[in-house]
Amino acid sequence: MISNSLSNVVIYLTLAFFLIIGIVLVKGGKMSKDQFLTARSSQSWKALGINFYVAGIGSWILFTLPTTAAYYGIYGLIAYVIACVVPLIVLIFIGPAIRKKCPNGVTITEFIKERYGRLCHAFVGIMVVFYMSITYISELTALGSTMTATYGLNSIIPICMTALVTTVYTAYGGLPTSMLTDKIQGWAIILLIVIVSASIFNYVNIDSNTIESSGLLQPTRIAIESFYVLTVAITGANLFHQGYWQRVYSSKSNKDLIIGLLVASVLILITFSILGFSGIIAIWGNLCCSNEAEYNNVFFSLTLPQKGWINVIVLILVVSLVCSCTDTLQIGLTATIVNDVFDNKIHVNYARLCVVILTIPIVFLASKNADIMRLFLIADLYSTIVAVVVMIAFIDRFKKYKTITQSKDSKQELSLKKDKSDSKEDIGIVIDSKNENINKTYAINGEERKFYINGYDCVIGMVVGIISIAIFGWIFHKDFYEGLALLLLPSGMSVEGESLGAFLAAPLGTLFGIFVSAGIRTLVNGSLRKD
């Protein structure tokens, strides 16, 4: 254990270091708005690997990973680690597709706007802001919990100072500053995790009798359910983590993007497994857990009894994790508001102001010390609803018009080709017989489909998805008010079948609502045409 005065010195020196790095090494005052929000096409796979890794972590990994392992055992831990890697694998496939479909974009919501229109775009934007705000609150809450429960400090001051420092350098340098500090923070985090983990495994004496009696190597129903719940929850949520999409657009090429995502996946797989297993080690070493509070701080039960220097390293690790996460969230939220709320029509200085304004209510809410795991689950639950909309947007069959590819050769004569599904139909192809070298191709709208999905269908589907959660809760608990309460997941993942049902009801209800809306509209339009 270290003294309060030493703890404060370590915190503020670490924050000062990141503040200096963030301001001195980036020329933020001369940036365009596009540079501020995207750092477009500027990053190699080496930079992207560590940046994608840092974008997916925060101080929450010191709480949720060990706690999950201590509660649900090795199967729960495996489920959590896999769930954290899957979103990056998904981005390997859809990242290049988004760059192609929306090359001048900044966030995933711009793809939604292009596909479904302004109404659905605004609705999805609200959901994205909600998710990222909850994540931001969770991160600062985790910092406050660490300062209070572990180091005996007043949590308000560290929360405010951390938010202030990241706000200053992010408002100054935007995404380039965030990515620069993330590189430094990322490698520092990996080094610190290695040092702390080595110290933990060297310090703990495992009781061989406890290994069997703990039951942590045996599967439980909740642990098995978590393979689906956590994978769907985290994948759906990370699709709307704008920090990821800003990095997608910052990559120099699709090759750099894919390699960077693979590097980040490996780093997450290794470090998350090590950190999570510390929760099991704590149980086997009889260092934890006799009550709920000890479960929530299981990682620190392994570090606090050790020598002072290891706790200094842990404190630096916590501050680094919080800074890396909060600056990513700040610039991601700013990009969402600038592009989705103001339709990308405000000056870059107002974008900087957004960073500052957003932080104030989030710091206030973080001081309330809510349940971190529950906050994440709530955000993840509603992200699965929006994820359905994005997945459908990729399916060309549900577009209003069939796609025709228009190609232009060197003599500016046109060659029209329908997509493969309509290749047998005669649509009047004109080809220059002397020169068939095609220089440019682009898509235009063809024949209108009878059945298609539009933005109104998606909005109705999302509303139905939310209602479906409450309906499932009503059926599950046989009580209407408990069904409504499930919208905020009051029990987290602790009740068998409850969270699984909620995470099934949300996307399936959304899918049902979308297709019912589209079907009714198709029938009505068909009747009107006949009349």
PDB file of all heavy atoms in Angstrom, residues 197-206 281 287 301-307:
ATOM      1  N   SER A 197       1.502  -8.600 -13.908  1.00  0.00           N
ATOM      2  CA  SER A 197       1.089 -10.007 -13.964  1.00  0.00           C
ATOM      3  C   SER A 197       2.187 -10.924 -13.450  1.00  0.00           C
ATOM      4  O   SER A 197       1.918 -11.883 -12.707  1.00  0.00           O
ATOM      5  CB  SER A 197       0.718 -10.386 -15.400  1.00  0.00           C
ATOM      6  OG  SER A 197      -0.358  -9.603 -15.863  1.00  0.00           O
ATOM      7  N   ALA A 198       3.433 -10.642 -13.832  1.00  0.00           N
ATOM      8  CA  ALA A 198       4.556 -11.450 -13.347  1.00  0.00           C
ATOM      9  C   ALA A 198       4.657 -11.368 -11.829  1.00  0.00           C
ATOM     10  O   ALA A 198       4.898 -12.375 -11.147  1.00  0.00           O
ATOM     11  CB  ALA A 198       5.854 -10.972 -13.996  1.00  0.00           C
ATOM     12  N   SER A 199       4.445 -10.168 -11.303  1.00  0.00           N
ATOM     13  CA  SER A 199       4.493  -9.980  -9.852  1.00  0.00           C
ATOM     14  C   SER A 199       3.381 -10.755  -9.154  1.00  0.00           C
ATOM     15  O   SER A 199       3.595 -11.382  -8.110  1.00  0.00           O
ATOM     16  CB  SER A 199       4.377  -8.488  -9.523  1.00  0.00           C
ATOM     17  OG  SER A 199       4.280  -8.283  -8.134  1.00  0.00           O
ATOM     18  N   ILE A 200       2.183 -10.729  -9.742  1.00  0.00           N
ATOM     19  CA  ILE A 200       1.028 -11.423  -9.149  1.00  0.00           C
ATOM     20  C   ILE A 200       1.265 -12.928  -9.106  1.00  0.00           C
ATOM     21  O   ILE A 200       1.100 -13.580  -8.065  1.00  0.00           O
ATOM     22  CB  ILE A 200      -0.254 -11.104  -9.944  1.00  0.00           C
ATOM     23  CG1 ILE A 200      -0.712  -9.671  -9.661  1.00  0.00           C
ATOM     24  CG2 ILE A 200      -1.369 -12.095  -9.601  1.00  0.00           C
ATOM     25  CD1 ILE A 200      -1.856  -9.211 -10.538  1.00  0.00           C
ATOM     26  N   PHE A 201       1.657 -13.492 -10.240  1.00  0.00           N
ATOM     27  CA  PHE A 201       1.829 -14.944 -10.306  1.00  0.00           C
ATOM     28  C   PHE A 201       3.002 -15.420  -9.440  1.00  0.00           C
ATOM     29  O   PHE A 201       3.023 -16.562  -8.984  1.00  0.00           O
ATOM     30  CB  PHE A 201       2.008 -15.388 -11.757  1.00  0.00           C
ATOM     31  CG  PHE A 201       0.750 -15.280 -12.572  1.00  0.00           C
ATOM     32  CD1 PHE A 201       0.619 -14.312 -13.560  1.00  0.00           C
ATOM     33  CD2 PHE A 201      -0.327 -16.117 -12.334  1.00  0.00           C
ATOM     34  CE1 PHE A 201      -0.548 -14.196 -14.302  1.00  0.00           C
ATOM     35  CE2 PHE A 201      -1.500 -16.017 -13.070  1.00  0.00           C
ATOM     36  CZ  PHE A 201      -1.613 -15.049 -14.054  1.00  0.00           C
ATOM     37  N   ASN A 202       3.964 -14.538  -9.220  1.00  0.00           N
ATOM     38  CA  ASN A 202       5.087 -14.871  -8.343  1.00  0.00           C
ATOM     39  C   ASN A 202       4.699 -14.748  -6.871  1.00  0.00           C
ATOM     40  O   ASN A 202       5.213 -15.474  -6.014  1.00  0.00           O
ATOM     41  CB  ASN A 202       6.268 -13.948  -8.649  1.00  0.00           C
ATOM     42  CG  ASN A 202       7.487 -14.270  -7.809  1.00  0.00           C
ATOM     43  OD1 ASN A 202       8.023 -15.374  -7.883  1.00  0.00           O
ATOM     44  ND2 ASN A 202       7.925 -13.307  -7.003  1.00  0.00           N
ATOM     45  N   TYR A 203       3.763 -13.850  -6.583  1.00  0.00           N
ATOM     46  CA  TYR A 203       3.392 -13.548  -5.195  1.00  0.00           C
ATOM     47  C   TYR A 203       2.428 -14.570  -4.601  1.00  0.00           C
ATOM     48  O   TYR A 203       2.536 -14.953  -3.432  1.00  0.00           O
ATOM     49  CB  TYR A 203       2.761 -12.150  -5.144  1.00  0.00           C
ATOM     50  CG  TYR A 203       2.107 -11.806  -3.831  1.00  0.00           C
ATOM     51  CD1 TYR A 203       2.862 -11.446  -2.716  1.00  0.00           C
ATOM     52  CD2 TYR A 203       0.714 -11.835  -3.706  1.00  0.00           C
ATOM     53  CE1 TYR A 203       2.253 -11.127  -1.514  1.00  0.00           C
ATOM     54  CE2 TYR A 203       0.099 -11.517  -2.509  1.00  0.00           C
ATOM     55  CZ  TYR A 203       0.872 -11.166  -1.414  1.00  0.00           C
ATOM     56  OH  TYR A 203       0.261 -10.855  -0.222  1.00  0.00           O
ATOM     57  N   VAL A 204       1.482 -15.049  -5.403  1.00  0.00           N
ATOM     58  CA  VAL A 204       0.387 -15.874  -4.881  1.00  0.00           C
ATOM     59  C   VAL A 204       0.828 -17.328  -4.700  1.00  0.00           C
ATOM     60  O   VAL A 204       1.435 -17.928  -5.596  1.00  0.00           O
ATOM     61  CB  VAL A 204      -0.832 -15.811  -5.827  1.00  0.00           C
ATOM     62  CG1 VAL A 204      -1.958 -16.713  -5.313  1.00  0.00           C
ATOM     63  CG2 VAL A 204      -1.324 -14.382  -5.966  1.00  0.00           C
ATOM     64  N   ASN A 205       0.500 -17.878  -3.545  1.00  0.00           N
ATOM     65  CA  ASN A 205       0.704 -19.303  -3.285  1.00  0.00           C
ATOM     66  C   ASN A 205      -0.634 -20.015  -3.453  1.00  0.00           C
ATOM     67  O   ASN A 205      -1.561 -19.804  -2.668  1.00  0.00           O
ATOM     68  CB  ASN A 205       1.238 -19.525  -1.867  1.00  0.00           C
ATOM     69  CG  ASN A 205       2.641 -18.976  -1.688  1.00  0.00           C
ATOM     70  OD1 ASN A 205       3.503 -19.185  -2.536  1.00  0.00           O
ATOM     71  ND2 ASN A 205       2.868 -18.262  -0.587  1.00  0.00           N
ATOM     72  N   ILE A 206      -0.736 -20.843  -4.474  1.00  0.00           N
ATOM     73  CA  ILE A 206      -2.009 -21.492  -4.787  1.00  0.00           C
ATOM     74  C   ILE A 206      -2.218 -22.708  -3.893  1.00  0.00           C
ATOM     75  O   ILE A 206      -1.324 -23.545  -3.732  1.00  0.00           O
ATOM     76  CB  ILE A 206      -2.044 -21.910  -6.270  1.00  0.00           C
ATOM     77  CG1 ILE A 206      -1.987 -20.667  -7.164  1.00  0.00           C
ATOM     78  CG2 ILE A 206      -3.297 -22.725  -6.576  1.00  0.00           C
ATOM     79  CD1 ILE A 206      -1.913 -20.980  -8.643  1.00  0.00           C
ATOM     80  N   ILE A 281      -6.818 -16.894 -10.033  1.00  0.00           N
ATOM     81  CA  ILE A 281      -5.658 -17.035  -9.143  1.00  0.00           C
ATOM     82  C   ILE A 281      -5.976 -16.507  -7.746  1.00  0.00           C
ATOM     83  O   ILE A 281      -5.572 -17.085  -6.733  1.00  0.00           O
ATOM     84  CB  ILE A 281      -4.443 -16.284  -9.734  1.00  0.00           C
ATOM     85  CG1 ILE A 281      -3.959 -16.971 -11.013  1.00  0.00           C
ATOM     86  CG2 ILE A 281      -3.313 -16.183  -8.720  1.00  0.00           C
ATOM     87  CD1 ILE A 281      -3.404 -18.356 -10.798  1.00  0.00           C
ATOM     88  N   LEU A 287      -7.218 -15.312  -1.500  1.00  0.00           N
ATOM     89  CA  LEU A 287      -7.096 -13.870  -1.275  1.00  0.00           C
ATOM     90  C   LEU A 287      -8.421 -13.146  -1.519  1.00  0.00           C
ATOM     91  O   LEU A 287      -8.529 -11.941  -1.304  1.00  0.00           O
ATOM     92  CB  LEU A 287      -6.023 -13.292  -2.197  1.00  0.00           C
ATOM     93  CG  LEU A 287      -4.591 -13.794  -1.948  1.00  0.00           C
ATOM     94  CD1 LEU A 287      -3.649 -13.265  -3.016  1.00  0.00           C
ATOM     95  CD2 LEU A 287      -4.116 -13.379  -0.562  1.00  0.00           C
ATOM     96  N   SER A 301      -7.029  -7.058  -4.973  1.00  0.00           N
ATOM     97  CA  SER A 301      -6.738  -7.908  -3.815  1.00  0.00           C
ATOM     98  C   SER A 301      -5.403  -8.628  -4.003  1.00  0.00           C
ATOM     99  O   SER A 301      -4.800  -9.097  -3.035  1.00  0.00           O
ATOM    100  CB  SER A 301      -7.860  -8.932  -3.615  1.00  0.00           C
ATOM    101  OG  SER A 301      -7.865  -9.900  -4.657  1.00  0.00           O
ATOM    102  N   LEU A 302      -4.937  -8.702  -5.251  1.00  0.00           N
ATOM    103  CA  LEU A 302      -3.656  -9.337  -5.552  1.00  0.00           C
ATOM    104  C   LEU A 302      -2.491  -8.354  -5.513  1.00  0.00           C
ATOM    105  O   LEU A 302      -1.336  -8.763  -5.330  1.00  0.00           O
ATOM    106  CB  LEU A 302      -3.708  -9.978  -6.943  1.00  0.00           C
ATOM    107  CG  LEU A 302      -4.687 -11.141  -7.124  1.00  0.00           C
ATOM    108  CD1 LEU A 302      -4.887 -11.434  -8.601  1.00  0.00           C
ATOM    109  CD2 LEU A 302      -4.185 -12.376  -6.404  1.00  0.00           C
ATOM    110  N   THR A 303      -2.770  -7.074  -5.708  1.00  0.00           N
ATOM    111  CA  THR A 303      -1.685  -6.087  -5.787  1.00  0.00           C
ATOM    112  C   THR A 303      -1.478  -5.304  -4.492  1.00  0.00           C
ATOM    113  O   THR A 303      -0.346  -4.963  -4.155  1.00  0.00           O
ATOM    114  CB  THR A 303      -1.959  -5.091  -6.931  1.00  0.00           C
ATOM    115  OG1 THR A 303      -3.208  -4.421  -6.692  1.00  0.00           O
ATOM    116  CG2 THR A 303      -2.036  -5.814  -8.264  1.00  0.00           C
ATOM    117  N   LEU A 304      -2.553  -5.027  -3.772  1.00  0.00           N
ATOM    118  CA  LEU A 304      -2.435  -4.196  -2.570  1.00  0.00           C
ATOM    119  C   LEU A 304      -1.495  -4.774  -1.505  1.00  0.00           C
ATOM    120  O   LEU A 304      -0.735  -4.025  -0.879  1.00  0.00           O
ATOM    121  CB  LEU A 304      -3.816  -3.942  -1.962  1.00  0.00           C
ATOM    122  CG  LEU A 304      -4.641  -2.834  -2.619  1.00  0.00           C
ATOM    123  CD1 LEU A 304      -6.010  -2.730  -1.969  1.00  0.00           C
ATOM    124  CD2 LEU A 304      -3.917  -1.495  -2.520  1.00  0.00           C
ATOM    125  N   PRO A 305      -1.511  -6.097  -1.250  1.00  0.00           N
ATOM    126  CA  PRO A 305      -0.625  -6.629  -0.207  1.00  0.00           C
ATOM    127  C   PRO A 305       0.856  -6.609  -0.590  1.00  0.00           C
ATOM    128  O   PRO A 305       1.717  -6.868   0.261  1.00  0.00           O
ATOM    129  CB  PRO A 305      -1.110  -8.081  -0.036  1.00  0.00           C
ATOM    130  CG  PRO A 305      -2.458  -8.134  -0.665  1.00  0.00           C
ATOM    131  CD  PRO A 305      -2.409  -7.143  -1.772  1.00  0.00           C
ATOM    132  N   GLN A 306       1.156  -6.324  -1.845  1.00  0.00           N
ATOM    133  CA  GLN A 306       2.538  -6.371  -2.301  1.00  0.00           C
ATOM    134  C   GLN A 306       3.286  -5.080  -1.962  1.00  0.00           C
ATOM    135  O   GLN A 306       2.728  -4.135  -1.414  1.00  0.00           O
ATOM    136  CB  GLN A 306       2.576  -6.640  -3.808  1.00  0.00           C
ATOM    137  CG  GLN A 306       1.974  -7.989  -4.200  1.00  0.00           C
ATOM    138  CD  GLN A 306       2.247  -8.330  -5.644  1.00  0.00           C
ATOM    139  OE1 GLN A 306       3.389  -8.295  -6.092  1.00  0.00           O
ATOM    140  NE2 GLN A 306       1.208  -8.681  -6.383  1.00  0.00           N
ATOM    141  N   LYS A 307       4.558  -5.056  -2.324  1.00  0.00           N
ATOM    142  CA  LYS A 307       5.410  -3.911  -2.015  1.00  0.00           C
ATOM    143  C   LYS A 307       4.911  -2.651  -2.715  1.00  0.00           C
ATOM    144  O   LYS A 307       4.210  -2.711  -3.722  1.00  0.00           O
ATOM    145  CB  LYS A 307       6.849  -4.211  -2.433  1.00  0.00           C
ATOM    146  CG  LYS A 307       7.478  -5.357  -1.645  1.00  0.00           C
ATOM    147  CD  LYS A 307       8.891  -5.633  -2.124  1.00  0.00           C
ATOM    148  CE  LYS A 307       9.515  -6.787  -1.343  1.00  0.00           C
ATOM    149  NZ  LYS A 307      10.893  -7.092  -1.805  1.00  0.00           N
TER     150      LYS A 307
END
